[in-house]
Amino acid sequence: KPRVFSGIQPSGNLHIGNYLGAIQQWVAGQGQKTNFICIVDLHAITVPQEPAALRQQTRELAALLLACGIDPQQTTLFVQSHVRAHAECSWVFSCVTPLGWLERMTQYKTKAQKQESVMTGLLTYPVLMAADILLYDADEVPVGEDQKQHIELTRDLAQRFNHLYGETFVIPKPVIRESGARIMGLNDPSAKMSKSDNTRGHAIRIVDDPDEIRWAIKRAVTDSYNEIRFSDDPERAGVNNLLQIYELLTGKSRPEIEAHFAGKGYGALKKEVAEVVVESLRPIRERYYQLMNDPAELDRILAIGAEQARAVAEPKMTLILERVGFVLPN
Ligand code: TYM
């Protein structure tokens, strides 16, 4: 079975971009693949976090992932800080990563601009990500488009380590779907939907109530073509975005969808998309609230996940320390 690793930050505001770009793929791969899904709290603290909020958001994210269909019987779901090897491996990797590789990262450049003061961890963020992936010998990393550059750095780093210290790591490949790779903001289809944009009507959050979802989709920015079809034209990005959301939630083919909407107006499109989103998220939201009512069960699931993850990461970490030339403790 191919091994899959992916991660997600407990930064709150989980939205349908995260769901359609990443989580839906993780759920679909269960059974056929060996899945490791990690709630990356170490990554979250690369920008300021309030401790109580971070703790709350970590549990909320675990509940949301389970509600979205992550099955702990089939997927190892765990919290990054529960497996010490991630931080340890990240240190070793930071000593074989040229600074220039990190300074080139577009996500670093964008995030750094938004911070008053940039912490070192924001720069070394992709090194920690490489540690996540490589500790598990992952073959595939299913993500949205925005993570592609980080996975390329992971590949380069794995190759470099293998070259310096001998064959140690599997070279992972990013898995990015054609649809859903980049879900755009509803209020501005030229920018990707983002957790940090709190403007009303920008994102659809997994826990938004139906009226809020309808409000946001009704006001989604479109264009003046009045033609409902999939398109790469940046001017038609708004309609294309709504169509991709519809496609991924209904599982219908593109020709089928275009035929269905032929001759209809944008008002009708928005109404149908809104209903599909509302009905798809309804059961997820309900399961989420049930799970949040049982924190002991959540913690139990995360404890089992951590144990399974450690069983893979710890021996790999020992191998890394040995390769680098450390005297292993008895
Ligand atoms: P994060 O938490 O920002 O996002 C989680 C996943 O959601 C995808 N995503 C999107 N996909 C489509 N359209 C969007 N608008 C959109 N916004 C977010 C992201 O691409 C991601 O797949 N660095 C990672 C977390 C991470 C990780 C890893 C991922 C840490 N270690 C190891 C893979 C492997 C991040 O911040 O994702």
Side-chain angles (χ1 to χ4, degrees):
K1 275 192 195 177
R3 218 181 243 191
V4 169
F5 187 99
S6 202
I8 182 161
Q9 291 196 60
S11 40
N13 295 334
L14 196 76
H15 54 66
I16 55 164
N18 301 122
Y19 180 64
L20 299 176
I23 302 167
Q24 203 188 38
Q25 293 196 71
W26 305 343
V27 172
Q30 291 183 131
Q32 298 112 269
K33 300 180 178 177
T34 306
N35 260 349
F36 291 86
I37 300 299
C38 184
I39 298 175
V40 295
D41 51 356
L42 300 175
H43 278 106
I45 63 165
T46 56
V47 296
Q49 300 286 342
E50 223 272 290
L54 178 60
R55 204 169 347 262
Q56 174 70 9
Q57 285 162 13
T58 300
R59 292 210 172 92
E60 284 173 1
L61 182 55
L64 274 167
L65 292 171
L66 295 167
C68 285
I70 296 291
D71 172 5
Q73 307 291 335
Q74 301 190 70
T75 290
T76 297
L77 173 67
F78 70 104
V79 175
Q80 194 181 27
S81 64
H82 292 181
V83 183
R84 300 287 165 93
H86 292 245
E88 192 177 7
C89 181
S90 168
W91 173 255
V92 174
F93 283 180
S94 74
C95 297
V96 291
T97 308
L99 192 52
W101 288 10
L102 299 174
E103 287 168 336
R104 271 208 305 276
M105 293 291 114
T106 54
Q107 196 164 84
Y108 167 70
K109 289 191 266 185
T110 336
K111 284 191 182 175
Q113 270 172 2
K114 293 185 191 150
Q115 299 299 315
E116 239 171 77
S117 161
V118 177
M119 298 299 139
T120 310
L122 194 63
L123 179 68
T124 55
Y125 182 113
V127 176
L128 178 58
M129 224 175 119
D132 297 342
I133 297 166
L134 300 179
L135 275 172
Y136 295 84
D137 287 323
D139 305 291
E140 299 177 7
V141 188
V143 285
E145 177 72 34
D146 62 344
Q147 297 302 317
K148 192 172 176 206
Q149 198 185 29
H150 290 157
I151 297 161
E152 277 157 10
L153 184 139
T154 301
R155 293 167 58 89
D156 292 343
L157 190 50
Q159 265 149 1
R160 189 179 165 88
F161 192 101
N162 285 349
H163 177 74
L164 289 170
Y165 296 110
E167 219 44 49
T168 311
F169 295 117
V170 170
I171 313 296
K173 62 168 193 292
V175 179
I176 301 168
R177 293 200 293 191
E178 196 194 325
S179 274
R182 207 172 146 79
I183 297 294
M184 309 309 273
L186 297 179
N187 63 340
D188 174 10
S190 70
K192 73 162 192 190
M193 189 177 285
S194 140
K195 286 177 191 160
S196 56
D197 187 333
N198 288 317
T199 318
R200 188 171 180 217
H202 167 75
I204 296 169
R205 305 210 172 81
I206 308 293
V207 295
D208 277 346
D209 64 51
D211 286 340
E212 190 61 28
I213 295 170
R214 293 191 185 102
W215 188 93
I217 294 178
K218 200 168 173 185
R219 275 159 194 77
V221 170
T222 52
D223 55 56
S224 50
Y225 290 96
N226 242 325
E227 190 188 11
I228 303 178
R229 59 178 177 83
F230 289 89
S231 160
D232 294 332
D233 181 349
E235 280 185 52
R236 298 181 183 222
V239 169
N240 189 59
N241 196 39
L242 293 174
L243 286 172
Q244 286 200 15
I245 293 170
Y246 185 88
E247 178 189 12
L248 291 163
L249 292 176
T250 60
K252 291 186 181 151
S253 73
R254 291 188 170 199
E256 216 179 325
I257 293 169
E258 289 179 344
H260 173 77
F261 285 113
K264 293 187 186 164
Y266 289 171
L269 170 70
K270 286 176 169 182
K271 243 198 178 110
E272 281 202 49
V273 173
E275 287 323 301
V276 165
V277 174
V278 165
E279 291 317 316
S280 309
L281 297 186
R282 190 189 301 282
I284 296 178
R285 205 174 57 239
E286 285 168 2
R287 274 199 300 276
Y288 166 69
Y289 287 116
Q290 281 167 9
L291 287 157
M292 283 305 283
N293 270 330
D294 195 351
E297 172 65 5
L298 270 184
D299 287 350
R300 192 187 66 86
I301 290 171
L302 293 177
I304 294 171
E307 202 178 312
Q308 289 170 349
R310 277 186 220 114
V312 177
E314 279 174 0
K316 190 76 188 183
M317 191 64 228
T318 304
L319 175 69
I320 295 165
L321 297 174
E322 197 205 325
R323 288 281 153 92
V324 172
F326 294 160
V327 173
L328 298 181
N330 267 315

